[in-house]
Amino acid sequence: MYDLESFIKELEAKNPSQPEFIESVREVLSSVIDVVNENPVYLKNKILERITEPDRVFSFKVEWENDDKEICVNKGYRVQFNNALGPYKGGLRFHSSVTLGTLKFLGFEQIFKNSLTGLPMGGGKGGSDFSARGKSDSEILRFCRSFMTELQKYIGPETDVPAGDIGVGAREIGYLYGQYKRLRSENTGVLTGKPLEFGGSLIRPEATGYGSMYFAYNMLKERGDSMEGKRIALSGFGNVAWGAAVKASEMGAKVVTLSGPDGYIIDEEGVNTQEKWAYMLYLRNTNNDVIEPYAKRFNCTFVKNRKPWEVPVDMAFPCAIQNELDLKDAKELIANGVKYVVETSNMGLTREAFNAFIEERIPTAPGKAANAGGVAVSGLEMSQNAMHLKWSKEEVDSKLKAIMEGIHHSCLEEGREDDGYVNYQKGANIAGFKKVADAMCLLGY
Ligand code: GLU
């Protein structure tokens, strides 16, 4: 029998200085510990010890030359966490905050997220502490080449299939794939999120944001509510926030905030035109990581060095980075009458913030359920690559919708509490965990 606190204490001793990883394990285990304690097969198979240790971790040096002809050195990693359900699958994050602990947390989350999609994908994650901020396009190209020169030793279309994440979009995936092909002479689905010209899937760039809105649609439908006229706060302005803004507008909701590390903008008219969406993409490609120019361009308010959670809204969608919404922010949102929270970044809410929403019985979706659309369409890209064909936009979008509806259904099945409240965190954790745990038992140790 397991006791949560003693298990976490031992895990901390084995994995010192990895607070995000410990936090992500605590979140999953707090939902599943009773399920494990009540299941003699899980106990006998030592599932908790085995599922919290990555299968393997690669750490490598990335050397590249900047435009001043200086040699630069970054750290590169790939964490292959668990392949019980299929090839390791998960993105690459290029951001100055990346450490091994960050990637272990993301890899751990990815196991259950991928399981929830119902597609045959295991969990992994990789990346580097390299940041595109202030870099030229040719510096990014040289960095990507050097990164892939090492990474290609560990990946393959049936082994481990990386994709994008923060700081890695179609441009970086293109450069990485170019180097993979140069070194291996292979045209395979070894990366997803590829540009359309060479094996990319339609709807993949939009998938995380669209998927999150489809998940939200199901949450509201469950309560006889609709997206029409809802006021939404989004954080971030990258690929995920972009897809979310587009789909929210199509659904009749109004996105009033976007944010960057420099602060946030309030656009009372809504981030709801082609021009505004295109500008978000343009901002991302300038490599400056600031949102302030949006306010100047569209004549709206910029609030420096603050987070968008102080703006009164019906729905909040953190779309930027882990721990971006804390207890203070949660209290402010609650005081302002927020009705739904949809964590679209990975672990965007701190534990205290998540608990505050649950205590108030505000429907709150965890990232591993709400943002699974990205990796789901990556899974569909793998299928298309394996079959050497291409599905239409409509085909991919309808599959994405069905997958998000399926994930919502799994959350309802495992997460409904006695008072009728759906605890989406508990539901997603239990549903995602059970499938992986069962597979691990069937595979033997
Ligand atoms: N980085 C995304 C995630 O956090 C997508 C991963 C993928 O497509 O493999 O799920």
Side-chain angles (χ1 to χ4, degrees), residues 26 31 51 104 178 217 249 262 278 405 426 428 445:
R26 179 194 284 279
S31 303
I51 212 167
K104 279 174 67 181
Y217 166 88
S249 308
D262 54 331
E405 195 182 337
K426 186 169 133 196
Y445 66 88

Side-chain angles (χ1 to χ4, degrees), residues 78-84 86-90 107-108 110-112 114 121-125:
R78 185 71 184 166
V79 177
Q80 296 184 337
F81 219 118
N82 187 299
N83 67 354
Y88 302 104
K89 182 81 197 85
F108 186 71
Q110 201 81 43
I111 304 171
F112 309 105
N114 295 2
M121 301 183 289
K125 201 88 185 190

Side-chain angles (χ1 to χ4, degrees), residues 320-369:
I321 200 161
Q322 66 269 16
N323 297 325
E324 55 173 312
L325 195 162
D326 62 19
L327 182 59
K328 186 179 153 286
D329 303 322
K331 284 185 174 161
E332 205 146 11
L333 280 165
I334 293 167
N336 284 330
V338 72
K339 297 186 188 74
Y340 303 91
V341 181
V342 185
E343 189 185 47
T344 305
S345 43
N346 290 310
M347 212 167 74
L349 274 57
T350 64
R351 174 166 32 126
E352 295 78 14
F354 218 117
N355 289 342
F357 291 127
I358 293 178
E359 264 165 41
E360 290 295 324
R361 295 325 221 189
I362 292 169
T364 304
K368 64 172 73 67

